[in-house]
Amino acid sequence: MNSNTTGLNPPTPGNTTSPHGTSKSIKLNFSKTPGGSKKLDRFIPLRPALDVDLANLQLTKENTGNGADGSEGASLSPSRDEFQRALAGQLGIDQSGRILAFRQKAPAPPEGHDNNLRGLYTDNLGPAPAKKNFRHIPQTQERILDAPDLVDDYYLNLLDWSCNNSIAIALGSTVYLWNAATGSVEELCTLPNEGDYVGSVAWSADGAYLAVGTSDAKVQIWDASRCKQIRELAGHTNRVSAVAWA
């Protein structure tokens, strides 16, 4: 009798008979997991965190209502429940706990422990990105100023704030200066001709001088500290609705 063996461990014997009457023994091979890695359950209970007595008590309570034949029987009597609660209290068993514990806080490192591999993760990180700072913009007004006779014209520039915390505002034909630090109001100038109005105001970079553009195509330069006009520029063909210092 000839014997032919095929495959490796684990053997699964099986006898077959060939057409010529010879018997062959065939062994099947079941391949392992690719890579030889073991597949483990991701939910592994932590045995040190388990309370065996509590688990036994809770499982007993769940199975107590079933009869011997597997049918659902009557629940425990109130006196029996009270006895079990009293017994659990005397034994120090917390019945509100879970039977299985799957998470546990990682233990803290010993005092003075220094991780030598920390440099492997921090050396190649590069500089930390700068934190973006956002400017706080209040949603309510801080102060409300009355502005009568303010010309309603989109193309006019009737308000300018200086570096000295003073606001120049044109109301009709008059320019006023409001000091934000003290709250005082001062009249700077008024156009002499009836019907003329101020079209634009602009402070100089140092906040010492104010340029005033008028509707009669002129630009006036005023010394704000003395409230005195020091120059008047002409040459425009229409009203001066915007002024900028070079």
Side-chain angles (χ1 to χ4, degrees), residues 222-235:
W222 287 79
D223 187 346
S225 60
R226 297 184 298 168
C227 294
K228 182 179 180 180
Q229 181 179 348
I230 60 177
R231 186 171 298 180
E232 183 177 89
L233 305 176

Side-chain angles (χ1 to χ4, degrees), residues 187-192 208-214 216 218-234:
E187 181 179 339
L188 178 66
C189 64
T190 301
L191 300 181
Y209 302 97
L210 181 69
V212 179
T214 64
D216 58 348
K218 295 179 181 179
V219 177
Q220 302 175 0
I221 306 299
W222 287 79
D223 187 346
S225 60
R226 297 184 298 168
C227 294
K228 182 179 180 180
Q229 181 179 348
I230 60 177
R231 186 171 298 180
E232 183 177 89
L233 305 176

Side-chain angles (χ1 to χ4, degrees), residues 104-127:
Q104 186 178 15
K105 187 177 180 180
E111 185 177 358
H113 173 73
D114 187 15
N115 187 3
N116 298 327
L117 300 179
R118 182 180 301 175
L120 295 177
Y121 304 101
T122 58
D123 289 346
N124 298 326
L125 289 180

Side-chain angles (χ1 to χ4, degrees), residues 38-125:
K38 297 181 179 180
K39 293 184 178 179
L40 302 178
D41 190 355
R42 68 176 65 180
F43 299 106
I44 302 176
L46 302 176
R47 295 191 180 277
L50 297 181
D51 191 342
V52 181
D53 296 334
L54 174 61
N56 187 21
L57 176 62
Q58 292 184 352
L59 291 176
T60 304
K61 289 176 60 177
E62 292 178 359
N63 297 329
T64 304
N66 296 334
D69 56 351
S71 61
E72 185 178 357
S75 60
L76 296 178
S77 61
S79 59
R80 184 65 176 175
D81 290 339
E82 183 65 27
F83 171 75
Q84 288 191 355
R85 284 194 295 270
L87 180 61
Q90 292 296 329
L91 297 177
I93 300 176
D94 184 11
Q95 294 185 343
S96 61
R98 300 177 60 182
I99 298 178
L100 298 179
F102 296 102
R103 291 187 299 176
Q104 186 178 15
K105 187 177 180 180
E111 185 177 358
H113 173 73
D114 187 15
N115 187 3
N116 298 327
L117 300 179
R118 182 180 301 175
L120 295 177
Y121 304 101
T122 58
D123 289 346
N124 298 326
L125 289 180

Side-chain angles (χ1 to χ4, degrees), residues 7-19:
L8 300 176
N9 193 38
T12 305
N15 296 328
T16 59
T17 304
S18 64

